[in-house]
Amino acid sequence: EDCQCFLFPDQPLARGTAEIRARYIARFEEPNLHATVRNRLIVGNLVIDDEFITRTFPDGPGTIETIAMYEIEDGKIARAWFKMGTPQLDAAKA
């Protein structure tokens, strides 16, 4: 309920179940959404995922590289940070 999500390093994105759910509902409405976890590191209570994401940006469909970092407390995500690369729009759609 009190999880916090940030655009790395400290720009708030969402806090709590309702805000996080609303963000993910909107994201999952994208028909081409797909994420591949290319690598995962776990050190103590920190999980770091290297992700390659296909999605629809405001300017059209494309891909983006993202690092997602999750801090785990009591078996749940307490805080999450997302470091986004530069979106690469599909050439055929751009």
Side-chain angles (χ1 to χ4, degrees), residues 6 8-10 46 67-71 79-83:
F6 301 92
F8 186 84
D10 58 5
L46 188 64
I67 296 172
M69 297 165 277
Y70 305 100
E71 185 177 22
R79 279 167 291 288
W81 297 265
F82 303 95
K83 175 67 173 168

Side-chain angles (χ1 to χ4, degrees), residues 13-89:
L13 293 173
R15 181 182 190 132
T17 304
E19 288 182 16
I20 294 169
R21 179 177 288 124
R23 285 186 61 80
Y24 278 92
I25 285 172
R27 186 71 68 238
F28 285 124
E29 288 179 353
E30 296 177 20
N32 64 333
L33 182 66
H34 180 77
T36 300
V37 176
R38 299 188 295 194
N39 194 22
R40 173 172 283 170
L41 299 172
I42 302 172
V43 178
N45 70 331
L46 188 64
V47 178
I48 302 171
D49 286 345
D50 167 18
E51 300 179 352
F52 185 77
I53 300 170
T54 300
R55 61 168 296 214
T56 301
F57 298 96
D59 293 334
T63 60
I64 190 167
E65 294 180 300
T66 301
I67 296 172
M69 297 165 277
Y70 305 100
E71 185 177 22
I72 310 300
E73 292 179 358
D74 298 324
K76 296 181 181 180
I77 298 171
R79 279 167 291 288
W81 297 265
F82 303 95
K83 175 67 173 168
M84 314 301 272
T86 302
Q88 302 297 312
L89 296 179

